[in-house]
Structure formats: structure tokens, C-alpha cells
Amino acid sequence: MGRKKIGKQVTACVCALIMAFGVAACGSSAGTAEPDVSGGQGKTINSGAAADSGRKDTWLADEMVTITYARPESSLQPYNPDCATVEWIRENLGINLQVSTYSDYETKMNTLLAANQLPDLFTIWGNVSDVVGTGCLMELSDLINQYAPNIQKDYENIPELSRYKMDGGIYTLAQIRRDDNWEQGSVPCIRTDLLKEQGLAVPKTWEELYDVLEELSKAYPDSIAYGTRGDDRLLFNYMSPIKGLGGDYGLYQDEDNVWHMGLLEDSYRDALQYIHRMYQSGILDNEYLIVSADDWKSGLGTGKYLFYYDNPVFLDTLNKTLRETNPDAKLEPIMFLENEEGKTVNYGHPNNYYNVWGISADTENKEVLMKFVDWLYSEQGGYLMNYGIEGTHWEMVDQKPQFLDSVVEEYKSRTGDPTYEAGSEIGIGDLFLDMSWYSNYDAAFKSTSEESWTRENIHKVYVNNMDCVIQQPIEPPYTAEESARITEINQSYMDYSKTEINKFISGERSFEDWDAFVQELISKGAQERVDIANQAEQRFAKGE
């Protein structure tokens, strides 16, 4: 479906943006075969002059082409205009990549959209259906067929990619993992040193966890047993403990590929009742709603919190902080917990991330831009954007890229996090532009100690139980009409549901009202949302 047809389906979305920012509608301005070659708010960087002197045969066009790229600003890994990869791209591909980073990314991108100033390439913001609906994303199918053999190969080998089409069109680009997935999702992590101190066994079930945390609360009254960063990771997100407790908040598929909404089911209510018990007993931080990610990490690092269910990659940093005042402190991951039905299940991190990038419908150099994007999906592009320049930053060892010892030593010797120091200076990693994604690229910068909780060592804890880890649900492709209706339904029920669910947790609303609450959600379109998913799934299964 073309840009104009999709835009007509969601005129209301565009109008809302215009009303919000008081300026006119959307657009942008301007950017394979794999070549054989051996800031602050509104920070825009020109990464070099666009002169084409010194042209190489590996350039993607006859002259230097400027491509503008925008992504969220990262305080961990600020963009460095002198990074090695951008220099290499300009010299060897003839692409002058101009990078802009924004701290309030969604607001800024909506402003650029309404002001007709979108960059050529950008990280998707907000609800992807809304962005597609404005007509400002280029439909990429024809360009991919003509200029992108690497992307074509991914569509052949990764069936899930087709689920992110809209009306049969390709409007977004994915981050494709090229190495092993060592990420088992959120996991339970607890102060095992305190368990030992109190003579408590490591819990194996959710009920045992409740009992253990209750004992820790009594033994350490100045601490709060369970800390979490806001309500999303506690009650709603696929990375929350809800699935482990036997429920779901959002859409999920059963074994017959039928879609359901967990929010409407008793299993979700039961999971909430467990968390409500923790809240009432003081096991769960009663101020969880206002706890930021930084405050949560600080609480874990100072001993305020003794347990969390979230990403385990923070463990080394947290333990380092804990041991400044308590050398024996150990915050460690434990096995997935069995729920009251006798099941152990956990949503893992996806193998790939979809709907990550988009290309402006009005970019002037669309053919060259698509060649560049396809090159980023190539093996060579993946190595460059994850490891840097071969021979300068890395070499092949046992047919795998590996950072040079001198590079690892250099960045480990600095005061900052070596992964982000290298990422910023070289121009690599998840916080820049790694469409081909080597998720374990930074392993060399992590501690090699057996006690260090690297991704590999965390994976070893769960490697024999990975059958408990399931993929997060991937919805079927929707038509523009369906996407517009889904947006309306989500706006109707989602914020309301979250507000009320927090009331159930605090006790402000009784679980005796649960059935009435479900009927309220149905009246706001929640069941229709499920019906749309099942209709689209049936259509997708038929190849329509």
C-alpha cells in the first residue's frame, strides 16, 4: 500500500500531531552489494566535509552522498563525531553520515515530523503504527528487491520478519542478532550472603520466595526486601514477573495459535493478588510507582533492596558498590521459580528486535541510502559497527571477530565503563547503528573472573533450563485500518487499566471488583483488540 493510502487511514493521528506542535505536516530532506574492502538536546554533528576527492571504487555512488541519521541521546555512550567507524564509512563507502542525537527523542521527532524536517534514517519513536500511519515512512519493498540482497536473505531465513509488514509493505528495519542469544530475560536475583547469614535456603518456588523475603524483612528491618523500577517491570512488561507467576498482561498465543489477552483472565488476577500480598506485608517497596531506574539501582547497591526480578546484567556494578561497605555482599541470580500450577516459565529477550529504524519517505538519495543500509546488514557491515576496523581494533580468531588485546587493555584502563568508552570512541555497539547485531561483542571488556556476572556466566546458570524460556509474542501483520483501530482501542483501555491495576495492588480497589473491572475493559474495546489479532492471524496463516 502506498504512502497516500495509509496516510488517509489515520488522518486523526496527523491532526493530533499538528495540534500538539502547531506546525505543518510531514516529510524530510536528504541518503548491496558488499564492497570488497579489506549530542545534548538537539546535538547535530557534521562528521566531515562532503568533498569527493580521493574517491574509491568501493564508494556506493559516483560522488560523496550525505545521509542524515537521528537516534536517542545516550548519557552512557555519547556520540563522538570523530569516531573511527564514521570516518571509515566516509572514506571507503563515500557516505558522509551526519548524526543527530536528542535527549527527549520522541518529542523532538514529533516536532521534526510536523515541521517537515525528518532526517533520512532514524530510530523509530513512539507507537510504530502511528508513525507508519502518518505516511512519513518510506515503503521499502521495491528498494529491497533492487538494492538489498542481504535484507532479502534475512526475510528468507527469519520468518518473523514478515509479521512486521503492514498491508504487505515493509516500512521498518530490524536489528538482527548474528551471534548466540545468551539472554534469558529477567531473572530473580537475591542477596545470597544474607540467605546464608540467616540460614535460609535458596527459594525454588514463588511461595518459597515470599516466605524467604518475609524472613529477610524481619531480619533486616532497615531494608526493603523487594525493589523494582516503577510499575511497568513489575506488572505489565513481558520482562515483569507476571509470566513466571502464571499470567500475562498483554496479548499472548496458545498452543493452537489463538490470541488471548491475559489482562482479561483470572490467571492475571491471581498473579496480581500475589504481588498485592507482598505490598500489604511490606515485602514490596510501597513506593514502587515513583522509583526511577537510577533510584532502584542505587537502592540495590546500598542494601536498601535485597531482591529484584529484572535484568541481571547490572549485577557486577551493583556488587561492586555493595562491597565498598560490605566485602562479603553477594547479589546473585537464582533459578527460575515454579508457580502454583507447578510450571516454570519465563519470557526471554528476543532473538531480534523489530521496528527499530525507519527511512523518510522524502529522502532524496533513496537508492544510495538503501545500498548503505543493506551494507550495514552484511557481514562486513556487522563487524565494523560492532567491533570497529579490522586490524586496528579486532582480528579473526577461530573464525570469530575478537578485539585486540591492546584495545581491551586500553579501554579497561580508563575510569569509565570500557564498553561504552569503546562504543563512543570507535563508534560501535547497541547505542549507535548496529543493524547486524553481535550482542556479545562487549564480552572482552567484562571481568574474566569466575565470580563476575558476565552474560556468559549468567547464561551458565540457566543453560540447562532454557526450555523454560519462551519467545515473547509476535503479533501478525495488520492492515492500516486495523492498526488505526488498535491505536484507538489502546488509547481507550490501556492507561485506564494500568491506573486501576495499581489500585488493586495497593488495596485501594478490592479484588472483589475484578469481574466488574474486566467488563469495563471489554466495554473499552479490549475484547475487540483480541478479535482483530485473531482475524489478522488467520489471514497471515493463509498467506493473504
Side-chain angles (χ1 to χ4, degrees):
M1 174 175 281
R3 175 188 177 194
K4 292 181 179 178
K5 184 175 179 182
I6 289 182
K8 290 179 181 179
Q9 304 297 335
V10 286
T11 303
C13 176
V14 180
C15 291
L17 290 168
I18 293 173
M19 290 175 65
F21 298 101
V23 283
C26 79
S28 172
S29 61
T32 58
E34 185 176 336
D36 183 16
V37 294
S38 312
Q41 170 66 37
K43 185 182 292 182
T44 303
I45 307 295
N46 184 337
S47 54
D52 59 1
S53 57
R55 182 188 183 281
K56 294 185 177 182
D57 292 339
T58 53
W59 280 23
L60 300 179
D62 293 334
E63 59 185 7
M64 182 77 70
V65 173
T66 294
I67 292 174
T68 54
Y69 170 52
R71 64 156 296 119
E73 183 180 58
S74 170
S75 59
L76 294 173
Q77 184 178 313
Y79 173 65
N80 182 345
D82 298 320
C83 64
T85 56
V86 169
E87 295 287 345
W88 190 97
I89 287 168
R90 183 169 58 251
E91 179 180 344
N92 292 280
L93 300 182
I95 298 297
N96 177 41
L97 189 64
Q98 294 188 359
V99 180
S100 299
T101 62
Y102 303 108
S103 57
D104 189 357
Y105 188 70
E106 183 169 350
T107 298
K108 182 63 177 181
M109 292 303 288
N110 278 329
T111 303
L112 292 174
L113 165 67
N116 205 32
Q117 295 178 351
L118 280 179
D120 302 308
L121 177 67
F122 46 83
T123 302
I124 297 290
W125 72 98
N127 185 301
V128 66
S129 297
D130 292 346
V131 179
V132 173
T134 65
C136 290
L137 289 178
M138 181 176 291
E139 202 289 305
L140 304 175
S141 298
D142 289 344
L143 287 171
I144 289 173
N145 289 336
Q146 294 179 66
Y147 302 108
N150 293 300
I151 297 177
Q152 291 179 49
K153 188 181 299 181
D154 283 334
Y155 269 88
E156 293 171 2
N157 296 332
I158 306 172
E160 292 86 355
L161 277 170
S162 293
R163 285 184 170 266
Y164 291 88
K165 293 181 178 180
M166 181 180 287
D167 280 342
I170 300 172
Y171 291 88
T172 63
L173 299 163
Q175 184 185 50
I176 305 299
R177 194 190 300 260
R178 304 299 189 190
D179 56 4
D180 293 334
N181 186 349
W182 286 347
E183 300 175 293
Q184 52 288 311
S186 294
V187 301
C189 299
I190 197 167
R191 286 285 301 274
T192 53
D193 60 309
L194 301 185
L195 295 184
K196 183 177 180 180
E197 191 173 288
Q198 297 300 319
L200 298 170
V202 173
K204 297 181 180 179
T205 70
W206 285 99
E207 280 305 315
E208 288 179 6
L209 175 69
Y210 185 95
D211 293 339
V212 163
L213 294 184
E214 190 172 42
E215 290 300 318
L216 291 179
S217 295
K218 295 175 183 177
Y220 307 99
D222 293 334
S223 296
I224 299 171
Y226 187 175
T228 185
R229 45 173 164 168
D231 60 353
D232 187 58
R233 286 290 185 122
L234 177 67
L235 305 171
F236 312 124
N237 196 286
Y238 285 123
M239 293 291 100
S240 76
I242 293 296
K243 189 63 178 180
L245 285 163
D248 273 279
Y249 169 77
L251 290 175
Y252 72 95
Q253 271 182 302
D254 64 20
E255 295 178 353
D256 297 321
N257 294 325
V258 176
W259 287 95
H260 304 265
M261 182 173 287
L263 177 60
L264 304 178
E265 299 179 342
D266 290 347
S267 57
Y268 184 65
R269 177 204 61 198
D270 295 343
L272 294 182
Q273 286 179 322
Y274 176 90
I275 296 174
H276 167 66
R277 286 169 53 206
M278 285 190 159
Y279 181 96
Q280 279 199 315
S281 65
I283 291 173
L284 174 67
D285 185 358
N286 279 197
E287 296 184 345
Y288 71 88
L289 267 173
I290 60 173
V291 175
S292 68
D294 287 342
D295 289 341
W296 170 70
K297 291 178 186 176
S298 175
L300 287 163
T302 59
K304 175 182 178 180
Y305 301 132
L306 310 179
F307 169 86
Y308 77 89
Y309 187 100
D310 206 305
N311 198 328
V313 299
F314 306 120
L315 285 170
D316 272 358
T317 301
L318 296 173
N319 277 314
K320 180 180 179 181
T321 305
L322 280 168
R323 289 167 188 166
E324 290 175 359
T325 55
N326 181 357
D328 297 324
K330 284 187 178 182
L331 184 60
E332 297 183 303
I334 60 175
M335 189 51 59
F336 306 124
L337 300 165
E338 182 181 296
N339 62 38
E340 61 181 7
E341 295 182 354
K343 296 179 179 179
T344 305
V345 62
N346 206 65
Y347 278 129
H349 284 104
N351 288 326
N352 310 299
Y353 287 91
Y354 305 93
N355 294 333
V356 179
W357 293 279
I359 293 175
S360 168
D362 294 332
T363 185
E364 293 179 359
N365 296 293
K366 59 183 181 181
E367 293 87 0
V368 178
L369 178 52
M370 181 51 65
K371 290 179 181 179
F372 174 57
V373 166
D374 189 66
W375 180 84
L376 289 170
Y377 282 104
S378 71
E379 181 177 75
Q380 185 183 42
Y383 287 164
L384 182 78
M385 302 311 293
N386 288 269
Y387 292 93
I389 300 168
E390 185 174 12
T392 301
H393 303 112
W394 63 276
E395 62 185 351
M396 294 298 289
V397 177
D398 296 328
Q399 299 182 319
K400 293 183 179 181
Q402 180 174 302
F403 283 108
L404 299 177
D405 291 342
S406 58
V407 172
V408 175
E409 291 169 4
E410 164 64 23
Y411 290 107
K412 276 192 169 184
S413 70
R414 301 188 183 183
T415 56
D417 187 303
T419 296
Y420 299 127
E421 292 270 352
S424 185
E425 192 164 296
I426 302 173
I428 56 175
D430 197 34
L431 295 176
F432 187 38
L433 186 57
D434 56 346
M435 292 182 175
S436 270
W437 177 36
Y438 289 83
S439 59
N440 302 311
Y441 80 97
D442 60 347
F445 296 117
K446 305 299 184 182
S447 171
T448 56
S449 166
E450 285 296 320
E451 293 187 357
S452 176
W453 291 113
T454 62
R455 285 195 188 95
E456 184 175 10
N457 285 344
I458 293 168
H459 180 65
K460 288 177 181 177
V461 174
Y462 302 98
V463 65
N464 294 325
N465 296 83
M466 291 301 287
D467 56 339
C468 299
V469 178
I470 62 174
Q471 180 173 294
Q472 295 180 28
I474 302 176
E475 295 180 46
Y478 296 111
T479 65
E481 293 89 344
E482 289 169 336
S483 293
R485 179 57 184 151
I486 287 171
T487 297
E488 292 175 354
I489 294 172
N490 288 347
Q491 291 172 345
S492 175
Y493 87 87
M494 194 166 284
D495 286 345
Y496 174 78
S497 73
K498 292 181 178 181
T499 298
E500 295 304 302
I501 285 166
N502 280 297
K503 292 179 181 178
F504 282 110
I505 297 301
S506 68
E508 183 178 347
R509 187 166 183 179
S510 170
F511 278 96
E512 293 180 359
D513 290 342
W514 183 260
D515 291 342
F517 170 61
V518 169
Q519 289 305 312
E520 293 167 8
L521 298 178
I522 292 173
S523 70
K524 291 177 177 292
Q527 184 57 52
E528 182 186 352
R529 176 72 177 86
V530 180
D531 296 339
I532 292 172
N534 281 313
Q535 291 165 9
E537 185 68 39
Q538 292 171 12
R539 188 173 60 243
F540 180 72
K542 295 176 181 177
E544 298 176 359

